[in-house]
Amino acid sequence: MSAAAAWLRKTEDIDNDTFNELKKIIGKPIVETCQMTGDTKSEAMDCIASAIDACSGQNAKLNYETASQQIKETMDKKFGPCWHCIVGEAMGFSVTFNTGNMIYMYVAGKVAVLLFKC
């Protein structure tokens, strides 16, 4: 269960149906900026989602470094080298990247992921 879902569960005023609906909304990735083709975008989003799930420890604590490394290595294998990945919260960025090879998205509500190739 994600940290946001755990917080929702603690709220006593929420019934089960509302809880499950909010959990679905919070669990969906939100793409802030994307300059990728459809296939690359879907592969990147799948890669990011699986890494975030795999690197979430007990109490929904996410290891950002491990998730970032796993995303980078997976993308390097699938689409060639020189991918870069940053995972964290409350961040801004200014990067140079190859055209058509950048995605910035939020996962699990507050975890930001920047993935780009240069």
Side-chain angles (χ1 to χ4, degrees), residues 100-116:
N101 289 302
M102 190 275 289
I103 188 168
Y104 178 61
M105 61 187 281
Y106 291 95
V107 183
K110 63 179 182 173
V111 178
V113 179
L114 171 63
L115 176 66
F116 64 99

Side-chain angles (χ1 to χ4, degrees), residues 36-50:
M36 290 182 168
T37 60
D39 292 340
T40 308
K41 178 182 176 181
S42 63
E43 286 286 333
M45 290 180 69
D46 290 344
C47 174
I48 290 167
S50 65

Side-chain angles (χ1 to χ4, degrees), residues 1-95:
M1 184 180 307
S2 70
W7 175 81
L8 283 174
R9 180 49 75 194
K10 290 180 185 177
T11 307
E12 295 176 15
D13 298 342
I14 292 180
D15 59 42
N16 281 337
D17 293 335
T18 306
F19 171 76
N20 290 332
E21 195 63 32
L22 288 171
K23 192 170 131 182
K24 287 179 192 175
I25 292 169
I26 291 172
K28 289 184 180 178
I30 299 168
V31 177
E32 189 73 27
T33 305
C34 182
Q35 292 187 12
M36 290 182 168
T37 60
D39 292 340
T40 308
K41 178 182 176 181
S42 63
E43 286 286 333
M45 290 180 69
D46 290 344
C47 174
I48 290 167
S50 65
I52 296 296
D53 288 341
C55 296
S56 294
Q58 291 180 343
N59 302 322
K61 182 81 171 148
L62 174 64
N63 184 332
Y64 296 141
E65 184 178 350
T66 305
S68 179
Q69 183 177 8
Q70 183 175 337
I71 294 165
K72 182 220 180 318
E73 289 173 357
T74 303
M75 293 299 287
D76 280 346
K77 287 177 187 173
K78 287 185 179 181
F79 299 103
C82 295
W83 284 92
H84 303 275
C85 184
I86 301 164
V87 178
E89 297 176 26
M91 65 180 185
F93 66 91
S94 177
V95 296

